[in-house]
Amino acid sequence: MTTHRLAELTTEEAARAVTASPLVLVPAGAFEQHGPGLPLATDSIRAERVADLVATALAGRAVVGPPLPVGVSPHHLGFAGTVTLTTTTFAAVVREYATSLHRHGWRKILVVNGHGGNNATLSTVAQDLLVSHPDLGFAWTPLTSLASDVVAGMEVSEVHGHSGEAETAQLRHLAPELVHEDRLVPGTTRRAELDPLGTLSRHTGITLPVPYDRLSRNGVLGDPRRSDADDGKSLVDAIVGRIVDFAEEWLAS
Amino acid sequence: MTTHRLAELTTEEAARAVTASPLVLVPAGAFEQHGPGLPLATDSIRAERVADLVATALAGRAVVGPPLPVGVSPHHLGFAGTVTLTTTTFAAVVREYATSLHRHGWRKILVVNGHGGNNATLSTVAQDLLVSHPDLGFAWTPLTSLASDVVAGMEVSEVHGHSGEAETAQLRHLAPELVHEDRLVPGTTRRAELDPLGTLSRHTGITLPVPYDRLSRNGVLGDPRRSDADDGKSLVDAIVGRIVDFAEEWLAS
Amino acid sequence: MTTHRLAELTTEEAARAVTASPLVLVPAGAFEQHGPGLPLATDSIRAERVADLVATALAGRAVVGPPLPVGVSPHHLGFAGTVTLTTTTFAAVVREYATSLHRHGWRKILVVNGHGGNNATLSTVAQDLLVSHPDLGFAWTPLTSLASDVVAGMEVSEVHGHSGEAETAQLRHLAPELVHEDRLVPGTTRRAELDPLGTLSRHTGITLPVPYDRLSRNGVLGDPRRSDADDGKSLVDAIVGRIVDFAEEWLAS
Amino acid sequence: MTTHRLAELTTEEAARAVTASPLVLVPAGAFEQHGPGLPLATDSIRAERVADLVATALAGRAVVGPPLPVGVSPHHLGFAGTVTLTTTTFAAVVREYATSLHRHGWRKILVVNGHGGNNATLSTVAQDLLVSHPDLGFAWTPLTSLASDVVAGMEVSEVHGHSGEAETAQLRHLAPELVHEDRLVPGTTRRAELDPLGTLSRHTGITLPVPYDRLSRNGVLGDPRRSDADDGKSLVDAIVGRIVDFAEEWLAS
Amino acid sequence: MTTHRLAELTTEEAARAVTASPLVLVPAGAFEQHGPGLPLATDSIRAERVADLVATALAGRAVVGPPLPVGVSPHHLGFAGTVTLTTTTFAAVVREYATSLHRHGWRKILVVNGHGGNNATLSTVAQDLLVSHPDLGFAWTPLTSLASDVVAGMEVSEVHGHSGEAETAQLRHLAPELVHEDRLVPGTTRRAELDPLGTLSRHTGITLPVPYDRLSRNGVLGDPRRSDADDGKSLVDAIVGRIVDFAEEWLAS
Amino acid sequence: MTTHRLAELTTEEAARAVTASPLVLVPAGAFEQHGPGLPLATDSIRAERVADLVATALAGRAVVGPPLPVGVSPHHLGFAGTVTLTTTTFAAVVREYATSLHRHGWRKILVVNGHGGNNATLSTVAQDLLVSHPDLGFAWTPLTSLASDVVAGMEVSEVHGHSGEAETAQLRHLAPELVHEDRLVPGTTRRAELDPLGTLSRHTGITLPVPYDRLSRNGVLGDPRRSDADDGKSLVDAIVGRIVDFAEEWLAS
């Protein structure tokens, strides 16, 4: 077997992978605005590249399964090009990926999720699978928030996040050919720029979602110019390392 | 108007409350095991009492709407008495509460959620409402995690959580008559007691749900004997205070 | 065991109740207008109190399960404060209560239903359970119509029903503190007040639902002043007695 | 226009019927066991014939719309040949018939329902249409229970009902060629033949459905030999007359 | 057994038919416009008559099951009288017919489909049944396209199809009493009459559905006057013959 | 704009593409067995590459939208690695892609479909969109069957199809690096190898799906060795040319 991508395996190779590679990594992305400088597929690209790196590090004990190129992005629909699934449909797709893989014998699935809008739905799928498929292990991991310590070490704006310093840095490292350096401009960078509802939506304990056009005129939170590919490499290395550690423990459990 | 409970108002009083009390607090609980000493309704009781306290503090500007006495508890089904909704059904109920209230004119709904198992589904509802009801503000708040600093100041076990120090303390303060002090016994209190999968399920960044009978033989995490009603009061005061602050800002926005 | 309310039991007590208390009573109410003098929760209050009385009479052989505080009330949405579930969602909730209880070993569930708008959906759930859970006994009972002979003995208006003589009497008996005696006024009391469609909707054989604002300007059918708490006691005693008789036979079957 | 059956009209005739024939009668039947002497389609036959008779009596002011040849019959699945829809699917079909007819301009739909198992679902559809199509009048009528006074005047067994005296009489009158007179045999005719659960399922106030094989070995309740075609004519005449009266009033409203 | 129609059998006869008549033919039609000269039920009539003829030819080895009188006709909703199911609901009905029959022991179901609009949904049902009921054989057959060679031998218009030469011929043969010969007029007969989108919708390889009012002012494609009952007989004979051949092979497999 | 892939555009570029590129091509594939020599993603690869070629030929008037990497493959679940969606979920995903694009202003969507198992579901989506989104043009195209004349000109086995001559040829041309030439072996190549049910499933007029392991031991129909990359180029050129012709006409309509 020369690749860890299930899509590129034959069915006979897949049959062997059930035993040799008991962990399936499912990359989950989004198809949504990422400001004037990053492509719509930013989250999918990060998820797929990280999944590849994790699989490489696991050296044959994991395969990368079918991707989820479109996620849950209703809050970005105000920006052209955003394609979203409802939470119900996204959940159904994830569940049917999982149950198909389960049918062939896999018992460990880890969704590598590049888009925060998918988090809640992934958790609901995990909850429902506890009852319907009690012998299936189903986990999901975010990306950037796994390395919040690394972000904290970067020089980020007071307000930062979507398409901002940390995300742009990752894309610079993983897919620089898709970053329009000349078009990267700051979005909302200071709390004072947020209206009262926008401020409430950034509360750390209480959840109050608002559409992104309420938070930022250009869809960006933070200043993407304030990071570089080295930051991106640090972030990705940390993310990959922590997912690999988790996977190693899981495979050994 | 002498009560803030919508259930106890007449329809004419409700009509006035749409204007006078523009915020509706919806208490969300669970019907699930809480170890040998606490009742199945523990989370519902905490949610309803906190909602009452928040409404009281808001002095007429909020009403307490219909409760959600059963939540999403598939991970507790191994323990007798647990009743659960699927994530799909729980989402439908919350959405239909919200759209009924919206129809009468309310535009601000805050779910006061006593059960962590409901978190993900509440977020999916919030996401879907962004598209279907863009003029409705829909928020949800957890309880204990709003006061994690207070928990940190308590003497808690290395492993603590469900039915443990902080939760038992709250119930001691809010409904002591339902706490069986003589049956309170520790559950899993040290990391070393967890098997490898249980340990992974407690990872701070990656989500891997397991059934609770895998985490604790008696359904308890922590030692409920190591807290008292004063701790509970401190927790509840902090929780209520922070929700009230949020609500004040929202009402003013 | 000192209470018959499942919500107030611990999981260990619930485990014993599966055997000791093989019947679960599920109170089903509504969250809807009840005219100028009664609270929105009128049906829920009646259902819960009757369920309590039935459980008390059965002396440990029944528990009261999780309540259904919101029912199917589309016909009352024209009046402020009414919250409704669709028939699909209400059915899903009832079914999932039933299947959760079934999972723990209970085989007899009786929904004590305070709201006529729930009747049809409860019957559809019963029908579908015949196929999906053939070993589960699932029944539902109305309240007032179980005692129609008692109503017939009262002095009721030509048109009577929702929030009228019999219902107000019950609330006077069960929860007098929630009855606004000073605001009780008659609604539609004579057939001649109904328009042709309203008249057709009262046909005894053919079902033609209309919104309640078509039937009554203030949401009341009948004259709530024409009954008292003694009538309410007679009604409740009859209702409870007949449910208890049914339950005794069922438990013995 | 020479027929009242919408199925046999052309689209141009249908366009005229929206105005000339503002009432649509939808026959609802079942595909289920009717004992050793009656065909599986018994309920559909009765519904379609009665609808035809009602339309004839209304002399052009009503059309008979598309039939519902299969209904909700889970309680008869123990007997060969029974085909059933779930309540969810039956509801969807009825709703989509109604909304298609509504789209063309019809505002009055009356389901002529030959099968008691459909009652509850028809009521749920009516409830949901109140919200989704408030300008549509949607009604449903049973058959035999509209003429319970006529049944009371017949010599029926102590236990009677499905495939018994009244139903067989109707089929003798409406479709004698499908009645196997030589195979008509009594089913359960006395209460003493019912087991305790069967007895409870016949309670007049509380609903507790059981599969029909629990009630009767051959699927019959009553003695089909104790009625004749004249009884059937009396029943059908009464049923048709009462539906026509209702329809006249509705058309005039 | 004197009939092959399951609807007309008793349950005892149905029980024998499971063995004696292992194939169930389910006629699927539509309730939709068929131009100025044919009735709305045209497709249902053809399906039911063909099913009868196939069953007759199979001499007891097949029964005709419950019909599907309404199909998937959204493209005809612009014409009065058309009643349609969504694809989701039509699929649910077909699946529940199939699973009910499967429950009684039948393992071979052939939908005899008179309406092209049902084709896709029938295929989706067949696909889903492969997983849920792997031991059930589920097939569907169209009518006219089974005899495209016969159509090719007729004198048809350049554009022909719905309510045109071949379909009208079949109805003339099968139900002449429902054909309004005096109202039969041509619809769209030449490609030049179609607008660009209409032309694209007739592409032989790529599917681009358009509403029928875009294709033809009177709902007809072709000239129904250019065929006669003899053409209809040739078509029906060919269709029936080919279905019978298929069924014979299937029964022998 | 330097790419036609919507995924790689920024939101600002997407906003311009709504006008400049009014056609969206959505590649639909499958994740399923393709015999011992081809990868699981074979259909997705063909769909995406053909979509790219069509977009290139349209020179800016079309964009390639989000892909569908997993399709409807229940018939291949017997072979390891196959991942399938139910028809319901696949339909929901396609519909939500379409309605998201519609929201931004696109009115022409063409699904470029590499997998026959998706055909039926795509047609059902097209039917339902006629009612819900009447101003949206939604089309889908197959690949190989658009060039059946080219296949007819190749030397193919008596039985050929899935993973056989024509499909392998396309992959040799489009992604030779993923074709394991050394493992390409014939599957079922002669009708005589099929069992009776397998033969019936290949009927040209009647649809009777069977699982693929019933048709071929190794999942292949035909002999993949009997074609080469030149055949693949001829096929792809023909397919692309015909889709481009269709698209040109549509864009001009």
Side-chain angles (χ1 to χ4, degrees), chain E residues 87 117 127-128 139-140 142 205-207, chain F residues 87 117 127-128 139-142 205 207:
Chain E
T87 60
Q127 290 177 304
D128 289 336
W140 68 267
I206 299 179
T207 300
Chain F
T87 61
Q127 291 177 304
D128 289 336
W140 68 266
T141 179
T207 301

Side-chain angles (χ1 to χ4, degrees), chain D residues 24-143:
Chain D
V24 184
L25 305 166
V26 172
F31 204 97
E32 76 181 19
Q33 74 88 6
H34 275 79
L38 299 184
L40 297 173
T42 292
D43 294 343
S44 295
I45 292 164
R46 293 187 301 120
E48 292 184 18
R49 303 278 161 100
V50 166
D52 275 343
L53 291 166
V54 171
T56 299
L58 289 171
R61 283 165 299 153
V63 287
V64 177
L68 294 155
V70 176
V72 178
S73 302
H75 44 318
H76 291 288
L77 275 176
F79 294 89
T82 299
V83 175
T84 188
L85 299 182
T86 57
T87 61
T88 301
T89 296
F90 185 70
V93 174
V94 175
R95 186 166 45 240
E96 294 179 14
Y97 280 18
T99 55
S100 292
L101 294 165
H102 177 269
R103 188 177 174 118
H104 296 303
W106 276 289
R107 290 295 177 268
K108 290 185 173 69
I109 296 173
L110 175 58
V111 178
V112 177
N113 178 29
H115 172 55
N118 301 337
N119 293 359
T121 309
L122 291 169
S123 285
T124 64
V125 173
Q127 290 177 305
D128 290 335
L129 286 169
L130 281 180
V131 175
S132 67
H133 291 72
D135 68 341
L136 174 65
F138 180 91
W140 69 266
T141 181
L143 300 189

Side-chain angles (χ1 to χ4, degrees), chain C residues 191-231:
Chain C
R191 282 197 203 99
E193 296 173 63
L194 293 168
D195 71 6
L197 195 65
T199 303
L200 286 167
S201 81
R202 307 280 295 173
H203 193 280
T204 55
I206 300 180
T207 301
L208 170 54
V210 296
Y212 249 66
D213 30 338
R214 181 104 195 200
L215 294 178
S216 168
R217 224 169 45 105
N218 67 0
V220 176
L221 296 185
D223 183 348
R225 298 169 310 186
R226 298 180 64 186
S227 66
D228 59 22
D230 286 346
D231 294 320

